[in-house]
Amino acid sequence: MAPELTQAPSTSECDASLAGQRIILIGASTGIGFATAKAALAARAKVVIAGRSVERLDRAWKELDRQVEAFRLDATEEHSMAVFFARMESFDHLAVFVPTAPSAKVRSQLGAFLETPPEAFEAVIRNKFWPQLFAARHGAPRIAPGGSLLFVTGQAHRKSLPGYAASAAANGAAEALVRALAVELAPVRVNAIAPGLVESDILRTAPEAFRRAAAEKVARHPVPRMGTTGETAAGILLLMANRFATGVVLELDGGMKLT
């Protein structure tokens, strides 16, 4: 006897609309996270943003016309994450936006593998990987069935880049966790987006030598420019809305890995 197949959703159930859905965005006061909040509001979603800096949160809240809920949260502290999610009711989607390095001091320590101190690796893992794990641990139980959890990684572990060993380790760990959690947390969907070089606040304030090197690098890509935060946000909302997407790592890198 043939096994019984689960019936696919109807056309209306497959509608890729986020209207009315509640989306929590951690680390969304600037950059890709802020662009995602803006795009989610345009899609008529209900948006919650959280971040470490009260000043940046307040600015983002005002720039988003006070249409979002905003909470102060240190995503590197598990207790803070647990308390935050205990206050949240059921929601539909969760995304975590955290930079690779927590400070200019740590960024200055990153370089060739043999010259990068272990404490710099520890700082990157603590800042990039642990907040995503904490969000999954404490946020996933409150995500509605069919909703999604999304991590943000990058390209350093996919294309060998001198000086990016710490980033590669953190991103690789996050994507391995995505694949494991897509099975363990089902029917919650778990995905990641891996952007290439994106014109963001961090990049705009980077040293001129770094910006020049980045510009030379992207000039060799099939799409010879940096990505925008809006383009990355569009990919994130796509993964949230598509109910058949899980265990996916969406690469939006302008063809970076091909060069």
Side-chain angles (χ1 to χ4, degrees), residues 2-257:
E4 183 178 348
L5 299 180
T6 301
Q7 185 175 353
S10 66
T11 302
S12 62
E13 289 173 324
C14 291
D15 181 11
S17 173
L18 294 172
Q21 296 192 15
R22 193 167 187 234
I23 300 176
I24 295 180
L25 305 172
I26 295 175
S29 58
T30 60
I32 295 171
F34 178 81
T36 303
K38 188 174 182 179
L41 286 175
R44 293 179 292 121
K46 300 173 183 177
V47 180
V48 176
I49 64 172
R52 187 160 27 192
S53 168
V54 173
E55 180 182 353
R56 288 197 296 267
L57 272 174
D58 185 61
R59 183 168 60 246
W61 179 66
K62 291 175 180 176
E63 290 180 5
L64 294 168
D65 296 326
R66 298 174 170 82
Q67 295 182 57
V68 302
E69 296 179 76
F71 296 88
R72 196 269 173 187
L73 170 66
D74 186 345
T76 65
E77 296 179 357
E78 184 174 12
H79 177 69
S80 294
M81 291 284 259
V83 170
F84 171 76
F85 282 110
R87 298 175 62 184
M88 297 294 108
E89 298 176 357
S90 176
F91 54 91
D92 298 287
H93 305 283
L94 167 63
V96 187
F97 307 87
V98 284
T100 296
S103 66
K105 178 181 178 181
V106 173
R107 287 195 293 273
S108 70
Q109 294 176 317
L110 302 177
F113 172 72
L114 294 179
E115 298 172 4
T116 301
E119 56 267 28
F121 274 86
E122 182 181 0
V124 167
I125 296 294
R126 183 172 62 249
N127 206 69
K128 182 72 173 180
F129 175 73
W130 284 107
Q132 307 203 68
L133 184 146
F134 294 154
R137 183 177 182 84
H138 297 287
R142 296 181 181 275
I143 299 177
S148 70
L149 166 65
L150 187 136
F151 295 164
V152 179
T153 61
Q155 292 294 319
H157 62 303
R158 191 167 286 107
K159 180 178 176 64
S160 182
L161 300 171
Y164 282 79
S167 299
N171 287 337
E175 289 187 9
L177 188 60
V178 164
R179 290 187 289 273
L181 296 185
V183 175
E184 286 201 32
L185 298 181
V188 170
R189 298 178 293 106
V190 185
N191 298 297
I193 191 161
L197 286 167
V198 174
E199 186 68 43
S200 64
D201 294 338
I202 292 178
L203 191 60
R204 280 189 286 271
T205 58
E208 179 59 31
F210 181 87
R211 287 184 52 80
R212 186 166 53 251
E216 292 172 356
K217 186 184 298 293
V218 298
R220 298 191 295 271
H221 296 170
V223 180
R225 63 171 175 82
M226 294 184 192
T228 68
T229 55
E231 288 168 331
T232 309
I236 290 168
L237 296 192
L238 170 67
L239 290 174
M240 289 181 177
N242 192 312
R243 299 185 187 184
F244 204 51
T246 195
V248 171
V249 177
L250 177 60
E251 299 179 49
L252 290 180
D253 64 352
M256 178 181 183
K257 64 183 175 300

